[in-house]
Amino acid sequence: MNRESTFKRIMRNKATPLLIILIIMLIIAMIMTSGVTKGAPVSDMFTAGFMAKANIQAQLYKMVIQICMMCGLACIMITGNIDLSLAAQATLGALIFANCAKVMPWGAAVLIAFIAAVVFGLINTFMVNVLKFPSFIATIGISSVYGGFCNVITGGTQVQIAGGTGFSAIGTACIGPVPVMFIFAIVLLIIFQFVLSKTRFGRSMFMAGGNPMGARLCGLNPDRLRMVMFILNSVLAVLGGLLFSAQLSQAHPTSIITSAPNMTAMSATLLGGVAFMGGSGNLGGPLVAVILIDVFSNILDLLGVGSHWIILLNGVLLLVALVIDYVSETRRARAMILAATKD
Amino acid sequence: MENKNFFKDRILPIVHKKIFTLIVILVAMVILFTIWAAAVGKNFFAPSTFKNILQSIIVSSFLTIGAGCLLITGNVDLAQSMFGALGGMIVAACIKNTLPAGVAIILALVVCAILGAVNGVMVAKLRFPAFISTLGMSYVARGFIYISSEIATGKAANINFNNPVTKWLGSGTFLNLPVGVYFMVVFFIIYGILISKTKFGKRMVMVGGNPVAATLAGINANKIIILMFINAAVLGGVAGLFNTSRVQQGTINAMGTAQFTGLTAAIIGGISFGGGIGGMGGAFVGLLILNTFQIGLSVVGINPFWSSVLSGLLLLVALGIDTFQMQRRFKVKKPKNDTVKEAA
C-alpha cells in the first residue's frame, strides 16, 4: 500500500514524464548520432557524436545562462508576474561590465554591472508597482529601450573584455569535463529551490502568486515582494550575461538577444510545471525541461536538420508546454471539485 | 453667459476627446521636427517627407487595424507580424512556381487565416494566456517562413520574383500617391464604421470591456474573439503582401522589427490595453505619430540605433497615459468643499 502511494506520487510529479522522455531521447541521441547504425563499434556510442566531450561541454556552456535566467523566471512566475526584458538586461549588463573592465580591475567592473542590474530591477518595479503597468507589456517596452542602448553605446560591434584574464579563466575553467560555470549554475539552482520550498520567504511567494488578495489580507506586502522578485531577476539575468560573455571573452550587443536564452528559459519553466498564472511549481521540473530542450535541438543539429526546423520546434515546444499546463490545471480543478463534493 | 455655454457645450467635449489630444501631439511633433531640422540645416516640412511618412505607414497600418480590433476585444497577438512575413513568403513562393498572383495572394491569406484561427482557439477555447501562446505561434510561423521558401526553391533563402500585379500593389501610384495608401484609407474607414456604427462593433467593445457581462448578455464572446484573431492574422497577411510587393522579394527576415509596431500604434492611439475602449480614428493618428517620430528622427540625422530606444520609450509613455486616464476614470470624485457646505 505504502509502496503504491510512493509510486503514484512519483508519477504525479510533473518532472517524471519529462525525465522519461529525456532518457529515451538521450538513448536515441547516442544511437543516431554516433554512427553505430552505420557499422561503427558499439563503444562509439559513449565517445562520438552526441556524447563526444566537446559536444557535451558546448551544451553545458549553453545551459549556464539559461539556468541563471530560469531560476529568476520561475520565481517571478510563481509570484504571478513576468519579466521579458531579461535578454536585453543581460546584454546591457555585460556591455557595462566590458566597458568598465577597460579602466578598472574586473572585480570592480562586476560590482558596477550588478549595481546596474539592481537599477534595472528598480525600473521594472517602478513601472509595475507605481505606474501600475501590466508587467508583460512594460518589460517588452523597456527591453526595446535597453536593446537600443546596447547598440548606441557600442555602435553595433562587440567589445573585447580587456585585461580580464581572471575573468576569462572563469569562462574556460573545468573540473574534469564539467565547466565550473555549469556547476556554479546548478548550485545556484539548488539554493533557489531550497529557498522556495523550505523558507518562509518561499512560502510567501507561492501565496502571493496563488491568491494575491488572500496574501495581502494575511499581512504580506505584495509590492515589496514584487520588488525583490524584479531585482532578483535582473541580477540573475546580468549574472547570466556576464557568464555568457566570459565564455567568449567579449560582450556582443545582439548575440544574447538573438539566441534568446530567456525564451528557452520560459518554455522550460512552463514545461517543467510552473503555472503561468502563479502559485505553483518548483525548479526541478524546469531543470529537466531545459536539458530536454537543449538536447532536443542539439540532436536535430547533429542530424543535420536545418536551423529553421529548430526555430519551429521551439515554438511548438512552448505550445506543448502550455497544453500540458492546461491539462494539469483542469485535472487539478476537477480533483478539487471532487474533493469538495465528497464531504 | 451664452458664450460660456457655447464653450462648455461645443468646445470642451471636443477638447476632452482623446483624438484631439493626439492631433495636438502630432501637430506639435511636426512643428518640433521642423524647427529641429532647420536648426541642423535640414528640411523636414516638405512634400517628400510627408510622402515618405505615408509610404512608411502602409505596411504597419494593416498591422495596426488588426492589432487594434483585437486589443478592443481585450487580446494581443504577438505573432501577427510573423504571419505577415509568412504570407509574403508564400506569395513569393507561389509566383515563383508560376501560379497567378491572385491565387498566390488568396492562398497566403488562407494560410494566415488558419494560423489565426489556431491562435483564437487557443486563447478563447483553451484559455491559454494570449501573450505566451501567440509568442509560441510567432516561432512556429517563423519556422514556416524558412520551410515554405525551402519547398519552393530547394533552399531556405530569399525569393526574388517579378509580377505585374504585385508590382502595381507595391510601387504603383495613383494621383501621385502610392496605391497602398488608398487601400489603407479604405480599410481604416471600413473598420472604423464596423467598430463605432454597427451592432457587431458594439459587441466587440462589450466583450473587451467586460467579457463575463457580455456572455451573460447573450453575446458569444468566444466567437468574436476567434473572429478577431483570424482578422488580425489576415490583416497581418495583407501587410506582408504589401511589404513583399514593394521589394518584389520574399524575404526571410521580413518584418522582424514589426512585432510591436501595430500594438504600439494602437496603444498610442488610445485603444486601452485592457480592452473595451478606443476606435480606428485614434489608431490612425497614433500610427501617424509613431512614423512621424521615426522619420523625423532620421531626417534630423539621429543615429538609427537611438530610434529603438525612443520607440520603446514612446510605447511606455503611451502606456503611462493610458493607465493614468483609466485611473482618473475610475476614481470616485470627492464632493467639493463648497457644495458640501451648501448641502449642510
Side-chain angles (χ1 to χ4, degrees):
Chain A
M1 189 69 195
N2 197 13
R3 229 180 86 202
E4 196 189 57
S5 74
T6 318
F7 178 72
K8 262 189 181 166
R9 211 175 59 223
I10 292 172
M11 286 314 289
R12 217 175 43 233
N13 191 331
K14 276 185 185 172
T16 313
L18 291 178
L19 207 56
I20 295 169
I21 297 173
L22 178 61
I23 292 168
I24 295 171
M25 204 177 271
L26 281 176
I27 294 169
I28 293 174
M30 282 157 68
I31 294 171
M32 295 286 285
T33 59
S34 61
V36 174
T37 45
K38 290 180 192 126
V42 178
S43 62
D44 265 14
M45 264 173 62
F46 299 98
T47 53
F50 176 75
M51 289 299 279
K53 193 180 156 201
N55 185 51
I56 294 280
Q57 262 185 359
Q59 296 315 304
L60 294 182
Y61 272 123
K62 202 166 93 186
M63 270 179 232
V64 170
I65 183 169
Q66 292 168 351
I67 292 176
C68 283
M69 288 184 172
M70 195 186 76
C71 291
L73 257 182
C75 290
I76 206 164
M77 270 158 78
I78 284 171
T79 57
N81 291 289
I82 187 104
D83 187 348
L84 288 176
S85 57
L86 292 179
Q89 287 178 8
T91 311
L92 192 53
L95 284 172
I96 288 172
F97 166 77
N99 280 325
C100 287
K102 283 178 185 167
V103 292
M104 58 179 84
W106 64 270
V110 168
L111 198 67
I112 290 181
F114 281 129
I115 292 170
V118 173
V119 174
F120 299 157
L122 286 174
I123 290 172
N124 279 343
T125 316
F126 175 74
M127 288 192 298
V128 175
N129 276 355
V130 180
L131 301 178
K132 307 278 179 216
F133 292 176
S135 59
F136 188 92
I137 197 79
T139 50
I140 279 181
I142 207 76
S143 134
S144 153
V145 173
Y146 292 157
F149 269 133
C150 292
N151 280 321
V152 169
I153 60 178
T154 58
T157 53
Q158 69 268 38
V159 181
Q160 295 294 333
I161 294 174
T165 44
F167 187 69
S168 302
I170 300 175
T172 48
C174 289
I175 298 176
V178 185
V180 171
M181 241 186 225
F182 182 72
I183 297 172
F184 177 70
I186 294 293
V187 170
L188 203 70
L189 187 104
I190 293 170
I191 294 172
F192 270 86
Q193 175 61 42
F194 178 79
V195 171
L196 262 182
S197 58
K198 299 286 181 220
T199 65
R200 227 170 102 179
F201 180 66
R203 289 283 123 201
S204 68
M205 279 159 61
F206 281 105
M207 178 126 192
N211 187 346
M213 199 56 147
R216 192 158 65 211
L217 293 177
C218 287
L220 287 173
N221 184 346
D223 280 3
R224 208 181 57 198
L225 191 67
R226 216 174 286 136
M227 184 175 82
V228 174
M229 285 299 121
F230 273 117
I231 291 176
L232 202 65
N233 254 284
S234 303
V235 169
L236 282 169
V238 169
L239 177 68
L242 289 182
L243 293 176
F244 187 86
S245 4
Q247 293 165 26
L248 308 170
S249 289
Q250 66 179 31
H252 193 277
T254 53
S255 70
I256 297 180
I257 295 171
T258 48
S259 68
N262 56 333
M263 285 300 146
T264 313
M266 189 155 72
S267 306
T269 315
L270 284 170
L271 204 58
V274 175
F276 186 74
M277 302 316 262
S280 80
N282 61 14
L283 285 173
L287 178 65
V288 178
V290 97
I291 298 173
L292 189 71
I293 292 173
D294 282 334
V295 169
F296 191 45
S297 64
N298 185 223
I299 295 173
L300 292 180
D301 215 14
L302 289 174
L303 292 178
V305 178
S307 62
H308 43 284
W309 282 98
I310 297 172
I311 298 172
L312 178 77
L313 286 165
N314 269 334
V316 171
L317 263 178
L318 190 58
L319 296 180
V320 167
L322 277 173
V323 172
I324 292 174
D325 189 37
Y326 166 74
V327 170
S328 65
E329 275 302 303
T330 44
R331 199 186 281 172
R332 202 175 66 173
R334 203 178 297 150
M336 276 170 81
I337 292 168
L338 270 180
T341 49
K342 228 175 204 174
D343 294 337
Chain B
M1 195 67 194
E2 218 171 295
N3 261 339
K4 203 179 175 189
N5 270 345
F6 172 78
F7 178 75
K8 235 180 183 174
D9 297 341
R10 294 287 160 81
I11 309 291
L12 265 186
I14 298 175
V15 174
H16 276 294
K17 274 198 173 161
K18 176 118 191 184
I19 194 159
F20 179 80
T21 327
L22 288 171
I23 291 173
V24 168
I25 292 175
L26 182 62
V27 171
M29 202 173 261
V30 169
I31 293 171
L32 173 84
F33 276 121
T34 309
I35 295 170
W36 191 354
V40 293
K42 305 254 174 60
N43 190 9
F44 176 80
F45 201 85
S48 66
T49 314
F50 295 112
K51 213 171 153 186
N52 261 345
I53 292 172
L54 276 182
Q55 176 80 47
S56 75
I57 63 174
I58 293 172
V59 171
S60 34
S61 66
F62 297 106
L63 294 176
T64 308
I65 297 172
C69 288
L70 201 53
L71 205 57
I72 287 176
T73 63
N75 287 290
V76 174
D77 185 354
L78 298 181
Q80 198 194 12
S81 64
M82 278 300 142
F83 291 163
L86 175 62
M89 182 56 94
I90 290 175
V91 169
C94 288
I95 290 175
K96 196 77 186 168
N97 287 330
T98 64
L99 279 171
V103 177
I105 291 169
I106 290 171
L107 195 68
L109 295 186
V110 166
V111 171
C112 287
I114 292 170
L115 289 173
V118 174
N119 261 343
V121 169
M122 284 195 300
V123 174
K125 296 270 184 202
L126 302 180
R127 310 255 165 237
F128 289 178
F131 301 124
I132 216 80
S133 54
T134 55
L135 202 62
M137 277 307 272
S138 79
Y139 280 91
V140 174
R142 217 168 94 201
F144 278 144
I145 294 171
Y146 286 91
I147 290 161
S148 52
S149 134
E150 193 171 274
I151 290 171
T153 59
K155 64 177 196 300
N158 297 346
I159 302 176
N160 290 309
F161 63 95
N162 201 349
N163 184 287
V165 177
T166 56
K167 198 160 200 162
W168 177 74
L169 278 178
S171 41
T173 54
F174 180 70
L175 294 180
N176 213 9
L177 279 176
V179 175
V181 171
Y182 297 98
F183 277 91
M184 172 181 82
V185 170
V186 168
F187 269 70
F188 263 114
I189 291 172
I190 291 175
Y191 277 88
I193 291 171
L194 177 80
I195 289 168
S196 58
K197 299 283 180 233
T198 66
K199 218 161 139 185
F200 185 77
K202 290 274 178 296
R203 286 184 182 155
M204 274 166 61
V205 174
M206 211 171 153
V207 168
N210 190 340
V212 179
T215 313
L216 291 178
I219 296 171
N220 190 344
N222 281 354
K223 197 179 94 185
I224 288 180
I225 290 174
I226 292 175
L227 265 178
M228 282 304 116
F229 266 106
I230 295 175
N231 175 51
V234 170
L235 283 173
V238 174
L241 168 67
F242 277 98
N243 191 40
T244 297
S245 305
R246 199 179 55 204
V247 287
Q248 294 283 300
Q249 186 192 51
T251 319
I252 279 183
N253 294 324
M255 300 172 81
T257 53
Q259 191 167 22
F260 302 110
T261 313
L263 197 63
T264 311
I267 294 177
I268 292 174
I271 298 181
S272 175
F273 194 72
I277 295 165
M280 282 298 125
F284 182 64
V285 183
L287 191 61
L288 276 176
I289 290 177
L290 192 65
N291 279 273
T292 308
F293 185 65
Q294 272 162 1
I295 292 209
L297 285 180
S298 72
V299 167
V300 173
I302 292 282
N303 181 344
F305 291 138
W306 275 107
S307 76
S308 161
V309 176
L310 294 170
S311 313
L313 283 179
L314 203 60
L315 172 64
L316 292 178
V317 169
L319 254 183
I321 294 171
D322 178 37
T323 322
F324 176 70
Q325 284 187 337
M326 291 302 274
Q327 277 169 358
R328 206 169 57 175
R329 179 168 306 186
F330 291 118
K331 213 189 302 184
V332 180
K333 275 185 186 155
K334 276 184 195 163
K336 277 182 187 165
N337 273 344
D338 27 315
T339 53
V340 174
K341 269 177 204 160
E342 269 172 36

